[in-house]
Amino acid sequence: DIQMTQSPSTLSASVGDRVTITCRASQSVSSWLAWYQQKPGKAPKLLIYKASTLESGVPSRFSGSGSGTEFTLTISSLQPDDFATYYCQQYNGFWTFGQGTKVDIK
Amino acid sequence: HLQLQESGPGLVKPSETLSLTCTVSGGSITSNTYYWAWIRQPPGKGLEWIGSIYYNGNSYHNPSLESRVTTSVDTSKNLISLKLRSVTAADTAVYYCARHYTTVTYFDYWGQGTLVTVSS
């Protein structure tokens, strides 16, 4: 299995902050990586796929980068609606997810 | 507008079989573009892929659950089903159904999820 490790586990930030979340894979997944946002009691929502492609309808303040084993999700200016938990997910084999990064209010 | 809706018992006894269905509306489950998947999330924890199935019944499952999982499809009712045998408290989770392209890709549509608790 390919293991996905996210850091940090929790991130405290303020509205307007630039936020970066890192995801590392235990072996190369090329660019086969997606990012999801999940709010309490809701299903995950796809934000980014193929490491850096923004899903339709997702605000442009979200961006993704990386390839191989190291990836980042960046929110350029944190908005009130962005406080949530974020998961990375590889799809270079059967799917595995990171453990999640909770972005909460500082 | 595609919608996925999970349904099934919210409480299952240990050692019994968990059975869930996912009804797809606003689109056909027989599309040759997509697979339909099950994913679960224990309370307060991360996400785990369970298995994926195509409209013709072709399926594959997480090796860690393979021995206990059966997935099936009913094209006449536009739904997929999940059975998980010999459940324990560790199987308590929110169970989601989701869609992905026929290659191993990302999940672009999700159901709202249903909580299944394993308890006597």
Side-chain angles (χ1 to χ4, degrees), chain A residues 1 32 34 36 38 41-46 48-50 55 87 89-99, chain B residues 39 41 45-49 51-52 60-64 96 100-101 103-108 110-113:
Chain A
D1 283 9
W32 306 123
Y36 299 85
Q38 187 178 34
K42 301 293 187 182
K45 172 189 172 184
L46 178 68
I48 287 168
Y49 60 92
K50 207 173 178 184
E55 172 71 341
Y87 292 93
Q89 173 234 317
Q90 66 81 21
Y91 49 97
N92 192 40
F94 288 149
W95 300 262
T96 51
F97 295 84
Q99 82 279 13
Chain B
I39 297 158
Q41 184 173 37
K45 296 188 178 179
L47 297 151
E48 180 182 35
W49 170 72
S52 296
Y60 41 97
H61 305 127
N62 190 322
S64 69
Y96 296 100
H100 65 86
Y101 289 93
T103 52
V104 177
T105 65
Y106 46 88
F107 303 102
D108 62 348
W110 296 64
Q112 65 186 27

Side-chain angles (χ1 to χ4, degrees), chain B residues 2-77:
Chain B
L2 188 74
Q3 290 188 305
L4 290 73
Q5 178 70 59
E6 305 87 350
S7 59
L11 182 64
V12 180
K13 290 182 168 55
S15 80
E16 295 191 344
T17 297
L18 178 160
S19 297
L20 296 174
T21 61
C22 171
T23 302
V24 177
S25 58
S28 175
I29 204 167
T30 60
S31 166
N32 61 7
T33 306
Y34 302 108
Y35 268 70
W36 307 89
W38 290 99
I39 297 158
R40 69 180 182 178
Q41 184 173 37
K45 296 188 178 179
L47 297 151
E48 180 182 35
W49 170 72
I50 300 169
S52 296
I53 189 163
Y54 196 52
Y55 76 92
N56 66 357
N58 186 43
S59 64
Y60 41 97
H61 305 127
N62 190 322
S64 69
L65 298 169
E66 175 77 60
S67 63
R68 297 196 291 133
V69 169
T70 301
T71 53
S72 59
V73 60
D74 185 333
T75 56
S76 67
K77 296 181 179 177

